[in-house]
Amino acid sequence: MDITNRFSENPILTPKMVKPSTPSVGIECLLNPGVFRFQGKVWLLVRVAERPEQQEGTTTLPIYNQAGQLELMTFRNDDPKFDDSDKRVFEYDGAHYLSTLSHLRLLSSHDGIHFSEDPEYGPIFPLGEQETFGIEDCRVSQIGDTYYLTYTKVSPTGVGVGLITTTDWKHFDRKGMIFPAHNKDCALFEERIGGKYFALHRPSSPSIGGNYIWIAQSPDLEHWGHHQCIATTRAGYWDSARVGAGAAPIKTEAGWLEIYHGANENHRYCLGALLLDLQDPGRVLARSEEPIMEPVAGYEQTGFFGNVVFTNGHLVEGDTVTIYYGASDEVICGAQLSIKEVLKSLGR
């Protein structure tokens, strides 16, 4: 069951439409943008994944040092210590490296379809030892005049959630890691509930437990507690292997509506919905039995990592939710959903 209306212009952004950060790398993929309104325009905070030019017989991988400078590491493909069986994460002598390195890039649009970079608003690059393998998949929530950026910090010591705040998108206050490794997919509610801030997040367990959606409370958006698991994977369903939050939950009369992603054992990513109680968002009222969006278009089925639709950014206007999403881990696309139709699919 796919109830989305895709943009006829899809994909609206491809790697060729964006310039690499330096001449020593090329853009491999554009992924999973955070979305917000600012100065009367629609903005995307796109994850840009770059990779150095490759030479025959070797593999060159990028990292950022603690000073935020790009460094390149080269391995021989025939070295028995080198394992490139997973094209996303390589291994050498027990250590893991990413095949691409990501930073965040700002693009804006007057019509929500045609996006371009403004030289006044520069990229956000990794910084510090917790981001030496890059920064990824940023959600943007607005509370008052402040924008809160929750994003994935990646380093050899693990994957956690970082927080950055800004009011003008030129000056940034890096708050550090707010959810320690291993954690990602953090989406902030855009208002307090009962005097508390709330966030969805996804801790992961390699043995007991799994990749589940949790909720947490905070007095100040930096210190989090009262953690509670609210959605697990479901055997035999479209979200049997992993689930994770999308963008900020949408407030409706029926409850907080959260569009989330789920994947099965074949790494096929779809979108579904959770409905959470307005006063007690840790209580799940309804959940998608079937996906509300599936990778059925050609650009969603074939790419850097095919059969993927993944969103962590949307805009809401009346009954319409405009989602911006990553397709096949390579291009950026847009689609629209009716809140009433999503609630109807949940039996509400």
Side-chain angles (χ1 to χ4, degrees):
M1 179 179 64
D2 191 310
I3 58 175
T4 56
N5 294 312
R6 291 163 173 78
F7 289 4
S8 61
E9 296 87 354
N10 282 346
I12 58 174
L13 284 172
T14 69
K16 292 182 179 179
M17 295 180 181
V18 180
K19 292 183 179 180
S21 61
T22 70
S24 61
V25 297
I27 295 178
E28 196 86 4
C29 319
L30 303 180
L31 305 102
N32 315 336
V35 184
F36 59 98
R37 291 185 177 93
F38 178 65
Q39 294 184 337
K41 296 190 289 186
V42 176
W43 292 73
L44 303 182
L45 188 55
V46 178
R47 172 183 166 192
V48 177
E50 298 178 316
R51 188 180 185 190
E53 183 178 347
Q54 303 298 306
Q55 303 295 327
E56 186 175 355
T58 64
T59 297
T60 300
L61 304 176
I63 65 169
Y64 280 105
N65 61 28
Q66 294 188 28
Q69 298 170 326
L70 184 68
E71 294 184 356
L72 304 180
M73 304 177 64
T74 300
F75 305 95
R76 289 191 57 83
N77 294 342
D78 59 4
D79 189 328
K81 297 180 180 180
F82 183 65
D83 181 1
D84 63 349
S85 57
D86 186 333
K87 297 305 179 184
R88 297 168 298 171
V89 182
F90 293 170
E91 182 177 343
Y92 182 78
D93 198 21
H96 293 88
Y97 302 91
L98 300 187
S99 60
T100 62
L101 197 63
S102 296
H103 66 278
L104 305 176
R105 197 82 67 88
L106 285 160
L107 297 97
S108 63
S109 170
H110 288 285
D111 61 8
I113 297 172
H114 303 91
F115 287 85
S116 61
E117 291 188 80
D118 185 331
E120 291 189 21
Y121 298 92
I124 302 174
F125 287 111
L127 182 64
E129 62 181 0
Q130 294 177 343
E131 300 178 359
T132 54
F133 281 4
I135 54 178
E136 304 176 355
D137 296 351
C138 185
R139 281 89 171 152
V140 179
S141 295
Q142 184 178 1
I143 303 174
D145 295 328
T146 301
Y147 296 89
Y148 294 84
L149 287 60
T150 51
Y151 65 99
T152 304
K153 298 161 70 81
V154 189
S155 77
T157 54
V159 178
V161 175
L163 175 66
I164 295 174
T165 64
T166 185
T167 57
D168 61 5
W169 292 98
K170 294 181 179 180
H171 303 89
F172 299 94
D173 185 3
R174 294 183 182 247
K175 302 293 187 179
M177 187 177 286
I178 58 172
F179 289 101
H182 193 288
N183 206 313
K184 61 194 316 185
D185 298 338
C186 178
L188 302 178
F189 288 67
E190 293 185 306
E191 65 177 67
R192 295 190 191 196
I193 305 169
K196 300 287 187 180
Y197 295 104
F198 284 80
L200 303 176
H201 64 108
R202 197 194 78 183
S204 298
S205 171
S207 53
I208 298 175
N211 298 305
Y212 306 153
I213 298 175
W214 289 59
I215 194 167
Q217 302 178 27
S218 172
D220 58 7
L221 292 165
E222 294 185 46
H223 303 88
W224 295 90
H226 299 281
H227 300 273
Q228 177 187 350
C229 182
I230 63 170
T232 65
T233 53
R234 300 177 291 184
Y237 281 73
W238 57 276
D239 52 4
S240 56
R242 64 188 64 85
V243 292
I250 303 163
K251 191 175 186 179
T252 75
E253 291 184 358
W256 294 100
L257 183 64
E258 174 62 19
I259 298 172
Y260 75 97
H261 64 268
N264 63 16
E265 288 79 4
N266 295 320
H267 309 292
R268 184 176 188 262
Y269 280 77
C270 302
L271 301 182
L274 291 170
L275 188 65
L276 310 176
D277 186 84
L278 284 175
Q279 302 305 319
D280 179 11
R283 187 163 74 94
V284 178
L285 304 177
R287 181 175 177 180
S288 294
E289 292 289 309
E290 300 291 336
I292 60 175
M293 186 178 191
E294 303 181 63
V296 295
Y299 49 80
E300 298 163 353
Q301 295 178 333
T302 304
F304 184 77
F305 194 79
N307 284 318
V308 171
V309 290
F310 188 106
T311 186
N312 49 250
H314 60 231
L315 298 174
V316 180
E317 187 170 353
D319 181 58
T320 301
V321 180
T322 301
I323 65 169
Y324 292 89
Y325 66 99
S328 66
D329 274 5
E330 185 171 330
V331 297
I332 305 301
C333 301
Q336 292 186 326
L337 286 158
S338 161
I339 292 175
K340 292 179 181 177
E341 287 297 313
V342 176
L343 292 174
K344 183 179 178 180
S345 76
L346 298 175
R348 297 284 171 153

